Amino acid sequence: PAVTDLKPRHVYQYVDLREAKTAARREVEILSHALTKAVEWGFIDRHPFKGEIRLTGERSCTRYIEDWEVVECLALTPKRKSGSVLAAQAYIRLKLLTGMRRGDLLRLTMSDLKDDGIHVEPGKTANSTGKRQIIGWSDEVREAVAMAKDARPVKLSPYLFCNRYGKCY
């Protein structure tokens, strides 16, 4: 059978038969993206099921992280000198101290760290008001930023939190 013979019912049947429902949804997402690219590149004329499938998603979190869980994470003993546990601990500390959103915190660059504090343009306001925030330095914030710098796997990356290739999370 050709890829153009694929019908929405086939996708629903696949998801129903697959035991790992979350994995099935991810696989359908990947297939859908591949078919979208095939249309873009001219291999097929029409996406066989775009906009015709509604798969129910996973249930959202039903609880908040408790204080004891944060304490346990911060008490973990790292096995390496940089990355992994140390980076996660630095992230948690800076998050707790500044209250920054995840995306804003992960996009922090070294040039955002200035003499008067951490300069942030929240992603939420970037395309509307463009307001910037300055998070003032305290001893705890300086210590958390120093931990994040030390935990970086790539010292030349422009990002405070970076992966081993120096790219932003």
Side-chain angles (χ1 to χ4, degrees), residues 18-135:
R18 185 94 156 81
E19 282 186 37
K21 300 297 182 196
T22 301
R25 283 190 290 275
R26 296 290 170 269
E27 292 158 0
V28 169
E29 286 174 13
I30 291 167
L31 174 63
S32 180
H33 181 70
L35 291 169
T36 299
K37 284 298 188 183
V39 171
E40 181 183 328
W41 297 333
F43 293 117
I44 58 176
D45 293 327
R46 181 178 134 0
H47 191 299
F49 60 85
K50 186 169 184 95
E52 298 180 32
I53 291 190
R54 298 283 179 259
L55 297 175
T56 56
E58 304 95 39
R59 280 188 245 139
S60 59
C61 290
T62 57
R63 69 180 192 86
Y64 288 105
I65 295 172
E66 296 180 23
D67 291 345
W68 70 268
E69 293 170 301
V70 172
V71 170
E72 288 290 318
C73 286
L74 294 176
L76 287 173
T77 304
K79 293 183 174 34
R80 295 190 215 156
K81 293 181 180 175
S82 67
S84 63
V85 173
L86 289 171
Q89 289 173 337
Y91 171 86
I92 291 168
R93 281 194 166 90
L94 205 51
K95 172 94 172 154
L96 291 172
L97 291 167
T98 64
M100 292 172 62
R101 291 181 187 91
R102 177 182 57 211
D104 297 333
L105 195 51
L106 292 176
R107 279 190 298 272
L108 272 181
T109 63
M110 300 306 284
S111 61
D112 293 331
L113 309 174
K114 309 220 182 208
D115 292 336
D116 58 342
I118 302 171
H119 289 239
V120 184
E121 182 179 0
K124 191 171 183 177
T125 62
N127 294 324
S128 57
T129 62
K131 288 189 177 180
R132 294 188 63 82
Q133 290 178 314
I134 300 174
I135 298 168

